[in-house]
Amino acid sequence: MMKDESFFDKVYDVVRQIPYGKVTSYGAIAKFLGAARSSRMVGWAMNNSHTENLSVPAHRVVNRNGLLTGKFHFDTPTLMQELLENEGHTLTDDQIKDFDNVFWDPAKEIF
DNA sequence: ACCATGACGTTTC
DNA sequence: CGAAACGCCATGG
């Protein structure tokens, strides 16, 4: 707050465009924003997103391994997994199965 | 300007 | 294969 949330705003915008049944990684978003090494900022933006009253499908954003690293940041540690399973994903030990197949690259889909 | 934080990523041991 | 260290960079104090 008290700022335009420049970086965060971009992150939210990208995450909101993630189609149903698709997922992406923090690094991919960061790269799309022009800051490939700011992957941590993306995750941080997610953390801030749940603090704000924003509608950001953070459950569709996982780390580069397809692992639900941030599941503990949701209301419940199982919420993220259930949301993904609800979208047709298969979770294996907090990791998305066929991650490459459901991976959504903003740099490719968004022009 | 400096230090601390962080839902990552890569490399190294 | 698993854990730890380092790097990287934006935001807050």
Side-chain angles (χ1 to χ4, degrees), chain A residues 31-82:
Chain A
K31 184 178 182 182
F32 175 72
L33 296 178
R37 287 137 183 160
S38 301
S39 51
R40 317 176 106 189
M41 312 303 61
V42 178
W44 200 9
M46 297 292 98
N47 186 19
N48 197 16
S49 74
H50 92 83
T51 302
E52 306 288 335
N53 290 328
L54 300 174
S55 301
V56 179
H59 62 277
R60 292 179 185 157
V61 184
V62 294
N63 71 345
R64 137 59 207 148
N65 301 308
L67 194 65
L68 283 55
T69 53
K71 68 175 191 172
F72 292 105
H73 289 267
F74 285 76
D75 293 343
T76 62
T78 57
L79 180 61
M80 187 176 187
Q81 180 174 336
E82 291 182 17

Side-chain angles (χ1 to χ4, degrees), chain A residues 85-101:
Chain A
E85 289 179 331
N86 187 35
E87 297 191 359
H89 298 297
T90 302
L91 275 289
T92 303
D93 190 29
D94 296 336
Q95 185 175 345
I96 299 177
K97 187 180 179 68
D98 298 329
F99 179 62
D100 293 338
N101 191 35

